[in-house]
């Protein structure tokens, strides 16, 4: 492709609202353009990268025995009502009515459609297991679309669904996809970790892993242990204390202290000259409309997902001031577990405290020398806090947890019968008995993956595309379009390299060398060939984008480069 | 692919509401499934065919120098208001609001988006001309979706847009796409004609051609001349009479006749014992809210598009009874051109009548011996009727017109400045002067094309896929999965053919031979290899789907088949 003809327009500066590096570089390099908040066009260079990613995904999923199909974006609301998600999905689900006033959703995901389809097509165990996938445009009306392609409202996704006759079969299908995902991300040159995760809104009963691209801009936190390889999303990472014993408690009796206007942990810590580790923090939640108190150490954070799982609650959220007053008879800052009438969940770390300070359930009062189990019930104890960096690893009990920021680029779920049951996807087993299909689902954010790769692979001059997904493999630059020797040699190389099957972007523009180099750095094509003054001697400069290593080579030496032979 | 694992379910009968053969066969063969009216899933076999069509389109458009990109389906309503189409498009445009109550349209086409994009990216003539395309999902809320993929509400389309600095440039871009389309349809094995057409709702000032797949189910009529190659959509086909003279008129004076309750041409013809060719039919239209009369011969049909073009009207429709009464003072059945106060358009064929019968503009009365020009004004004459089969060719004046039914699978338009002007897509020319871009647009209904191919290529047993787009190239069938010799030979062939790069569907199912053959006929894979009783002698049957020609071949003879060498 001759760059003079390419539909691309590089920008010196990205719009000021582009926060993420990938967003800035993809805009500046002319890979994408915004049409509306969270809605992007992929220009030819960006589209070429996406197509390369798609190709890798297809090759690996086909290799894993999955079959590709394509389902519609327009989905009858009826299906979503049948699965119970029409209301549950909330405002992220884009809803519309057709000219006959029938309700539709724009698919944010396809569990309902695929389950209804498979139900209709498969009646017997003989046709199972089957794994189906598509690469298709999804719609989610994000409250706050941002970071370019990282959180969009219209985006490309690969979604796959498996249908098995047993949980063991699902284990196999799940592992199969898990391994395909590892190969896909490896081939895309991504630095990633597969981590234990929470099933979240899509739901399901069993195991689930997220594939996290490690990057500072990531909105997720990944806790890992370098000793044993444990890795989990912070929302799921165990705190590592449950196996440990209780500290030797104090023998001092409890004592009420007047603490006027002392409401926060920080204020209390200062007022009593006590470290936050010596304070028991009590938070009041509403779990499915029932109040519940959670007691954790003052320096810890409640992990709502753990609390929710412990209670088996559908919804969980902090109680509002009115509800707190009603439930415990005092405002949030003075609540404490002693004498509390609502259920009290005590975090493992609190159990290990010799004594602590807590609210007295009385305005302007706290209690000191409080011992869990002596002064309040510890019937309901558990792991209710976020793990923290430096915590002992909950898996091996030896290593320490390290945290990374991650971008979720893939997710594998064991759905079980969450959709097949309400939608009636059943089959006849080998004994002629009707059984419910056991499902898994598997997603990759294709356009998000593109951005995640840029987050990981760039320098201050621009993008550095991994070879396998680069929009072109070679960037051929002629310095002067007026120098006959340069033009002749450049044209000759352009033809030769293309004949060898290489994808070459040829910067044949009548621009200054500085502009060409800057654009080339920005576009990030892995190998650059510069045809300049040495052209009259038949020599060119060969540069690797990622390390800026330069070599002066003859045409023959260039064409024989091993990197080109392996392309 | 082993058929026992393939996600496909053939049906003995298609649903009774599937009228078109392609719809029936695609459903029966398990290529597609309906999710909602006009909304389909493409199952693995159907998706493979679509991907083959996509590949051909990409290869030919890339060859023509067009660049691929991908634009969003979610389009801000603002853009559509700027172009003036938000209201004009009517209920076919699917509209929605996001969570912030901003209006969006689901793109039925992308003129607005591409024009806004190119406006933003291209400022100079130096970056032009450029042709951009995408293969993308479109949404149109058809009033009456039908015939499966032929008229859907969500469908795959290839849309391309060219941007030139001059009309001559547009001519070149247009011709370039026109030729690419010819290559695409040829490679897809389609029987098609490129015909002159009307620009319709997308609009534009200049030339436009439709690519019509000839098929009985088609909703368009194509008029062609076998003598000179003239081909036009009936809506545009000239009637061929304009060059001819006027007949020798009668000298009889006009005479009013009492014709009680005679309102239709048929009634009048019987009542007066006059042929429809001797009657002048007068129809009253509203053109942009103004009444106008159109006079044509009794056996002809008014072509509203010709009338609309002649008048330069935005809208045209038959007047309702009330409006007719108001405009001509009589009901429709008795209207005639004599003494009419509203403008009268006279069709060329009427001019050639020696004399005729027409309404008297008086209830229960007609006039006979009416001579155009003598008895009413022929100031406004023109070609206002549909061409008819057997008409003299308007182009060569020698051949006769023949009609075919056609399915519009492609369309090329010269848009000119219809979008670039209101959306402000301007550039600086070589003199630094601001100019408006000259646009063309070019569409192919990708999913419709798939159906059109099936309409043309099937027999009473099923589909006959053209080689280039077949889901698999070879259908390998083993008759008995219990016969060791058969299974061994079939497996061996399966491996060998795949190693040779062939795409093989291997029917390894434990089913009766009859079922396998019926399914194979239905699926329509071009070549079939049957491993049956002769397997023990190392022989198989080789069958061409399209002509059912069978050969018994040894394994070596089979692999050496010339059809396989050219695959």
């Amino acid at each position: 492709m001759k760059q003079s003809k390419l539909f691309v327009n590089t920008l010196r500066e990205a719009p000021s609202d582009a926060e993420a590096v990938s967003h800035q570089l993809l805009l500046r390099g002319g890979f994408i353009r915004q049409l509306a908040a969270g809605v992007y066009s992929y220009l030819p260079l960006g589209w070429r990268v996406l197509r390369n990613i798609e190709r890798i995904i297809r090759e690996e999923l086909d290799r894993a025995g999955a079959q590709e199909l394509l389902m519609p974006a327009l989905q009858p609301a009826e299906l979503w009502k049948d699965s119970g998600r029409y209301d549950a999905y909330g405002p992220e689900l884009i809803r519309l009515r057709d000219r006959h006033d029938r309700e539709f959703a724009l698919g944010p995901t396809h569990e309902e459609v695929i389950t209804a389809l498979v139900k209709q097509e498969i009646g017997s165990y003989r046709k199972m297991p089957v794994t189906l996938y598509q690469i298709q445009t999804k719609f989610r009306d994000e409250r706050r679309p941002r970071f370019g392609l990282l959180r969009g409202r219209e985006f490309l996704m690969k979604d796959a669904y498996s249908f098995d006759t047993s949980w063991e079969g699902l284990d196999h299908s799940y592992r199969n996809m898990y391994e395909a995902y590892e190969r896909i991300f490896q081939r895309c040159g991504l630095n990633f970790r597969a981590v234990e995760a929470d099933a979240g809104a899509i739901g399901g009963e069993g195991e689930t892993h997220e594939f996290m691209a490690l990057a500072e801009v990531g909105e997720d936190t990944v806790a890992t242990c370098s000793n044993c390889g444990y890795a989990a999303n912070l929302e799921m990472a165990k705190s590592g204390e449950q196996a440990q014993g209780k500290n030797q408690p104090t023998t001092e009796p409890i004592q009420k202290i007047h603490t006027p206007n002392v409401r926060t942990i920080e204020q209390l810590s200062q007022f009593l000259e006590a470290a936050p580790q010596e304070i028991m923090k009590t938070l009041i939640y509403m779990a499915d409309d029932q109040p519940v108190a959670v007691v954790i150490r003052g320096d810890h954070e409640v992990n709502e997902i753990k609390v929710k799982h412990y209670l088996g609650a559908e919804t969980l959220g902090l109680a509002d001031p009115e509800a707190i007053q009603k439930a415990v008879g005092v405002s949030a800052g003075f609540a404490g577990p002693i004498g509390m009438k609502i259920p009290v969940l005590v975090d493992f770390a609190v159990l290990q405290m010799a004594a602590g300070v807590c609210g007295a359930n009385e305005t302007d009062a706290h209690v000191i020398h409080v011992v869990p189990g002596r002064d309040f019930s510890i019937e309901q104890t558990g792991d209710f806090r976020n793990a923290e960096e430096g915590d002992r690893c909950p898996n091996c009990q030896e290593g320490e947890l390290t945290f990374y920021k991650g971008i979720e680029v893939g997710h594998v779920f064991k759905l079980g019968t969450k959709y097949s049951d309400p939608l009636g996807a059943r089959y006849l087993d080998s004994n002629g008995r009707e059984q419910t299909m056991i499902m898994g689902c598997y997603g990759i954010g294709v356009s998000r993956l593109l951005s995640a790769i840029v987050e990981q692979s760039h320098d201050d001059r621009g993008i550095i595309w991994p070879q396998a997904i680069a929009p072109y493999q070679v960037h051929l630059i002629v310095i002067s379009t007026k120098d006959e020797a340069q033009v002749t040699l450049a044209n000759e190389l352009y033809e030769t390299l293309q004949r060898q099957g290489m994808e070459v972007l040829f910067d044949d523009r009548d621009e200054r060398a500085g502009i060409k180099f800057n654009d080339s750095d920005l576009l990030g094509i892995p190998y650059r060939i510069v045809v300049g003054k040495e052209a009259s001697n038949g020599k060119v400069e060969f540069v690797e984008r990622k390390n800026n290593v330069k070599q002066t080579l003859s045409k023959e030496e260039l064409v024989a480069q091993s990197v080109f032979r392996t392309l």
Side-chain angles (χ1 to χ4, degrees), chain A:
Chain A
M1 182 78 207
K2 291 189 173 170
Q3 205 164 335
S4 59
K5 301 285 173 210
L6 182 66
F7 184 65
V8 65
N9 193 17
T10 57
L11 308 173
R12 205 166 300 186
E13 303 211 351
S16 57
D17 62 344
E19 301 165 67
V21 173
S22 59
H23 191 191
Q24 292 165 7
L25 292 176
L26 289 171
L27 285 173
R28 285 187 50 212
F31 292 87
I32 61 171
R33 287 293 180 259
Q34 182 178 296
L35 176 62
V39 180
Y40 289 85
S41 292
Y42 301 90
L43 305 199
L45 283 179
W47 182 237
R48 288 181 73 94
V49 179
L50 266 189
R51 296 259 303 154
N52 285 333
I53 295 174
E54 284 186 2
R55 180 179 39 76
I56 291 171
I57 291 175
R58 287 200 167 100
E59 284 173 7
E60 293 301 338
L61 293 187
D62 290 348
R63 171 138 78 113
Q67 297 177 55
E68 188 173 357
L69 42 58
L70 182 69
M71 290 177 280
L74 280 176
Q75 307 184 358
E78 210 46 58
L79 265 182
W80 283 74
K81 289 174 180 168
D82 289 347
S83 76
R85 285 209 296 178
Y86 196 63
D87 294 325
Y89 217 93
E92 264 187 35
L93 186 67
I94 298 180
R95 295 146 211 258
L96 58 94
R97 284 166 187 274
D98 73 3
R99 66 198 294 158
H100 305 295
D101 213 32
R102 279 184 292 248
E103 292 176 292
F104 283 85
L106 278 186
T109 170
H110 279 70
E111 280 80 7
E112 282 82 0
V113 175
I114 193 86
T115 306
L117 178 67
V118 170
K119 168 189 176 176
Q120 174 183 280
E121 299 300 312
I122 293 187
S124 155
Y125 74 97
R126 251 172 289 188
K127 292 273 206 164
M128 298 167 74
V130 66
T131 298
L132 301 164
Y133 77 97
Q134 63 176 349
I135 297 177
Q136 194 252 13
T137 299
K138 298 281 188 279
F139 300 87
R140 288 185 198 166
D141 199 355
E142 292 278 351
R143 196 172 55 83
R144 215 155 79 81
R146 59 177 176 157
F147 297 153
L149 307 183
L150 287 175
R151 189 167 289 282
R153 298 199 289 172
E154 174 173 345
F155 55 95
L156 265 184
M157 188 167 156
K158 188 288 299 172
D159 45 329
Y161 307 89
S162 66
F163 296 82
D164 276 278
T165 57
S166 67
W167 285 91
E168 295 69 39
L170 172 59
D171 288 345
H172 180 263
S173 298
Y174 184 89
R175 177 50 51 181
N176 191 25
M177 281 295 112
Y178 185 103
E179 287 166 2
Y181 275 33
E182 289 186 317
R183 293 194 302 269
I184 289 165
F185 296 129
Q186 275 157 12
R187 286 182 60 186
C188 287
L190 195 76
N191 180 14
F192 70 96
R193 294 295 289 266
V195 308
E196 295 175 13
D198 178 56
I202 296 194
E205 300 161 29
E207 208 177 347
T208 170
H209 283 89
E210 288 168 347
F211 287 81
M212 290 285 187
L214 304 184
E216 267 313 306
V217 76
E219 298 182 284
D220 283 281
T221 301
V222 176
T224 65
C225 171
S226 53
N227 183 55
C228 72
Y230 174 80
N233 193 315
L234 179 60
E235 64 185 24
M236 282 294 283
K238 298 189 198 78
S239 68
E241 279 153 339
Q242 52 243 68
Q244 296 177 28
K246 196 163 172 299
N247 274 8
Q248 192 60 29
T250 182
T251 54
E252 299 262 2
I254 61 167
Q255 185 186 341
K256 199 193 291 179
I257 306 277
H258 183 55
T259 53
N261 288 318
V262 170
R263 289 165 189 280
T264 67
I265 296 297
E266 201 184 358
Q267 289 164 345
L268 189 62
S269 179
Q270 281 185 358
F271 186 88
L272 296 177
E273 290 181 0
Q277 291 89 319
E278 299 172 84
I279 296 171
M280 297 165 180
K281 186 161 62 174
T282 306
L283 292 105
I284 312 299
Y285 282 88
M286 298 303 285
D288 294 342
D289 301 330
Q290 291 300 315
V292 58
V294 180
V295 184
I296 57 164
R297 225 168 65 183
D299 58 330
H300 286 159
E301 283 175 1
V302 171
N303 181 310
E304 298 184 1
I305 287 171
K306 291 178 181 175
V307 174
K308 207 166 136 184
H309 280 212
Y310 178 88
L311 295 171
E314 284 284 313
T315 63
L316 185 88
L318 275 170
D320 59 34
E322 204 176 317
I324 294 172
Q325 194 72 41
K326 193 175 157 205
V328 301
V330 74
S331 72
F334 302 105
I338 301 172
M340 182 148 300
K341 301 238 164 35
I342 62 172
V344 178
L345 310 191
V346 183
D347 181 64
F348 285 135
V350 171
L351 287 194
Q352 289 168 35
M353 293 167 76
V357 180
C358 67
N361 291 326
E362 209 182 293
T363 303
D364 292 347
H366 280 82
V367 181
I368 62 173
H369 306 319
V370 178
V371 178
R374 184 190 76 179
D375 304 318
F376 63 88
S377 162
I378 51 169
E379 254 174 56
Q380 302 198 68
T381 58
D383 175 15
F384 300 126
R385 70 169 177 97
N386 276 339
E388 300 212 317
E389 201 150 23
D391 274 2
R392 197 170 296 176
C393 169
N395 187 49
C396 67
Q397 303 292 341
E398 286 179 24
E400 279 188 0
L401 292 185
T402 310
F403 282 10
Y404 298 96
K405 285 292 180 188
I407 300 165
E408 184 194 333
V409 289
H411 208 152
V412 291
F413 286 103
K414 290 186 180 171
L415 289 173
T417 59
K418 184 179 159 72
Y419 295 91
S420 48
D421 190 24
L423 295 170
R426 282 180 268 280
Y427 66 95
L428 295 182
D429 68 14
S430 56
N431 300 314
R433 277 190 301 243
E434 198 169 78
Q435 305 282 0
T436 300
M437 298 181 185
I438 313 284
M439 291 174 58
C441 77
Y442 316 93
I444 291 179
V446 181
S447 38
R448 180 184 282 182
L449 176 55
L450 181 147
S451 272
I453 291 166
V454 177
E455 286 293 336
Q456 290 184 349
S457 192
H458 67 268
D459 59 20
D460 52 7
R461 293 174 292 131
I463 299 172
I464 304 168
W465 289 112
Q467 182 69 40
I469 63 162
Y472 290 91
Q473 297 160 326
V474 177
H475 202 175
L476 175 66
I477 297 175
V478 59
I479 295 290
S480 169
T481 54
K482 289 171 182 80
D483 181 310
E484 203 175 309
Q486 291 185 27
V487 171
T488 305
L489 181 55
N491 276 318
E492 195 187 324
L493 284 172
Y494 183 50
E495 297 304 326
T496 306
L497 294 172
Q498 286 190 118
R499 255 202 314 280
Q500 293 190 344
M502 257 169 266
E503 292 172 329
V504 184
L505 181 63
F506 177 20
D507 192 347
D508 61 335
R509 295 175 302 163
D510 181 18
E511 293 281 5
R512 284 186 295 110
I515 288 179
K516 293 187 175 192
F517 289 141
N518 284 345
D519 278 352
S520 181
D521 283 340
L522 181 57
L523 299 185
I525 294 167
Y527 299 102
R528 184 192 301 169
I529 299 167
V530 183
V531 181
K533 282 194 190 130
E534 293 261 43
S536 50
N537 305 322
K539 297 207 164 173
V540 299
E541 193 179 64
F542 178 67
V543 191
E544 258 187 273
R545 171 68 183 89
K546 75 172 166 229
N547 53 22
N548 210 25
V549 167
K550 294 174 188 170
Q551 293 173 269
T552 300
L553 301 173
S554 70
K555 197 186 80 181
E556 293 70 27
E557 288 169 330
L558 176 81
V559 172
Q561 280 290 297
S562 63
V563 290
F564 286 0
R565 287 202 305 269
T566 60
L567 285 186

